[in-house]
Amino acid sequence: MTSMFMTYAATLPVLRDAWGMSATAAGSVSTGFQLGYAVSLVFFSSLADRVGARRVFLGSAWLSAVSALAFALGARSWGTGLVLYTLVALSQGGTYTTAIMLFADRYPPARRGAAVGWLIASSSAGYALSLLVSGAALAWGGYPLAFFASAGGPAAGVVLAWFALRGTPNVVHPRREGARFGTAVLKNGPAMRVILGYTCHSWELLGMWAWTPAFVAAVFAITGAASVRAVELAAYVAAAFHLMGLLASSSMGRLSDRLGRRIVLFGLAATSAGCSLVFGWLIGWPLAVVFAVGGLYGFTALGDSPVLSTALTERVHPSHLGAALAFRSFLGFGAGAIAPLVFGRVLDATNAPGPFPTAWGWAFVALGAGGLGAAYCAWGLRPDRARAPGATPSPTA
């Protein structure tokens, strides 16, 4: 389902020239996508509390397949790209938080971190696939072929989801008497700290995802690679960074089941913040150094995502989990929508016009502020320990 997420980022250096975009305009397409995704997550998550997560997940999956094809057919300029890529985002939000809700119903807390980790890891696999497919298709038939190739993912995903969920019941949790969103979420201190940490995490992660392929393309361009070849190679390298995120998601959730959520969240957030503060200054350094730091960056920036999601399921009652995820998504993806635009603005301010800027340090430093904020929020959580199998924490622990 996520194979469309990185298609725009993978083809961005070519699209800037083909569509005549400044860095700020290029960032606005990513911003439109993230804002659309935030709105989609809020709507579908809230709806899932009322009609059930399974039903919403499958409906959103069908819409995703249709909108992906529409983007591939119609995105041929900055305006059409902005509108249609936002439409893709508006359709896909119901396949993320509802999946977390389905996992929360199926797995006990002692195994939930590992389970959600594999869920996030599957998303990373989709991101990597998006970059690999886009890079190869770009070399063969330009960006239109890259769009069409990536659109095949949601079409295949909806068929697989339909078969996978055939035996899964559609559960609607009854609400506790007198419980409202304000008391269940807004006045729930531990939950709000996790939500704020997720917001800071999203600023850093989504800004990094939007611009890292273009940064790596600039790194290759400095070594003398031709324009399209540099973009193709950058797509492959960025895909490798997402594979590091896959490893992080599949392992860090399980590690947090053993060591506790707080310590794992803090270690990952602090390390990713450090990567943000140095990564952009590495242009012109040996490729091995750029790739090594980029791999660590990809690992740590995404590694806390399943832990944050699991931590929220443990601090909010199931009857309000959809609403809590909706609120978290609104703040997190709202911040993630602004980050690529701010990054592009800083890039414009520190470089001459052109598809391959040479000064990237300050733009990545702007993302590092989010990583530092996520580390602060994690440090403020109550210390926790691994739980015995079957143990169930209080929703406000």
Side-chain angles (χ1 to χ4, degrees):
M1 299 306 303
T2 57
S3 67
M4 286 296 296
F5 271 60
M6 299 306 299
T7 299
Y8 177 75
T11 56
L12 180 55
V14 170
L15 293 177
R16 284 191 64 187
D17 183 55
W19 292 356
M21 297 186 294
S22 67
T24 302
S28 71
V29 178
S30 292
T31 293
F33 181 90
Q34 299 301 342
L35 284 175
Y37 197 56
V39 171
S40 177
L41 288 166
V42 169
F43 173 74
F44 284 122
S45 300
S46 300
L47 184 64
D49 277 340
R50 293 166 173 78
V51 304
R54 178 186 180 275
R55 185 175 299 167
V56 173
F57 180 93
L58 290 174
S60 176
W62 282 107
L63 291 173
S64 298
V66 173
S67 63
L69 180 59
F71 176 76
L73 286 169
R76 296 296 182 270
S77 65
W78 172 80
T80 56
L82 174 62
V83 172
L84 291 174
Y85 207 45
T86 301
L87 182 63
V88 171
L90 285 169
S91 69
Q92 289 207 339
T95 63
Y96 176 49
T97 53
T98 54
I100 294 173
M101 295 170 72
L102 289 168
F103 273 54
D105 285 337
R106 178 169 294 187
Y107 295 98
R111 296 171 53 204
R112 193 175 298 166
V116 175
W118 280 110
L119 171 64
I120 305 299
S122 69
S123 297
S124 295
Y127 302 147
L129 179 64
S130 177
L131 288 159
L132 289 171
V133 168
S134 296
L138 189 68
W140 282 93
Y143 76 83
L145 181 60
F147 290 174
F148 274 108
S150 297
V158 69
V159 176
L160 293 173
W162 178 263
F163 282 101
L165 293 176
R166 282 182 301 171
T168 300
N170 186 63
V171 179
V172 179
H173 291 281
R175 298 201 169 188
R176 294 179 297 178
E177 185 177 353
R180 292 180 174 83
F181 176 76
T183 54
V185 180
L186 295 181
K187 294 183 179 180
N188 182 338
M192 287 302 299
R193 180 170 283 272
V194 172
I195 288 171
L196 181 57
Y198 181 84
T199 302
C200 295
H201 152 84
S202 297
W203 169 277
E204 181 180 45
L205 177 67
L206 298 179
M208 183 268 280
W209 275 355
W211 281 101
T212 292
F215 170 72
V216 178
V219 170
F220 277 115
I222 285 179
T223 68
S227 177
V228 173
R229 180 61 175 166
V231 176
E232 180 188 359
L233 292 172
Y236 298 150
V237 172
F241 294 167
H242 279 283
L243 290 177
M244 294 300 296
L246 184 155
L247 293 175
S249 298
S250 60
S251 59
M252 292 300 99
R254 184 181 299 276
L255 185 64
S256 74
D257 286 339
R258 298 178 59 186
L259 301 183
R261 315 298 183 207
R262 176 178 180 262
I263 188 65
V264 174
L265 284 173
F266 177 77
L268 289 168
T271 305
S272 68
C275 290
S276 288
L277 297 178
V278 303
F279 192 52
W281 304 105
L282 298 180
I283 192 164
W285 283 53
L287 292 176
V289 175
V290 177
F291 299 162
V293 176
L296 180 63
Y297 198 7
F299 186 97
T300 55
L302 184 62
D304 51 355
S305 187
V307 188
L308 286 163
S309 295
T310 304
L312 189 60
T313 69
E314 296 169 344
R315 287 162 171 81
V316 177
H317 191 271
S319 63
H320 283 84
L321 181 57
L325 288 168
F327 183 60
R328 181 193 79 155
S329 299
F330 175 76
L331 295 180
F333 283 88
I338 298 171
L341 191 63
V342 171
F343 191 107
R345 178 70 71 178
V346 175
L347 211 59
D348 278 339
T350 54
N351 286 274
F356 295 112
T358 57
W360 292 78
W362 290 114
F364 275 101
V365 166
L367 300 182
L372 293 173
Y376 173 79
C377 290
W379 188 255
L381 291 172
R382 181 184 305 172
D384 52 0
R385 295 180 179 176
R387 302 180 181 90
T392 303
S394 165
T396 57

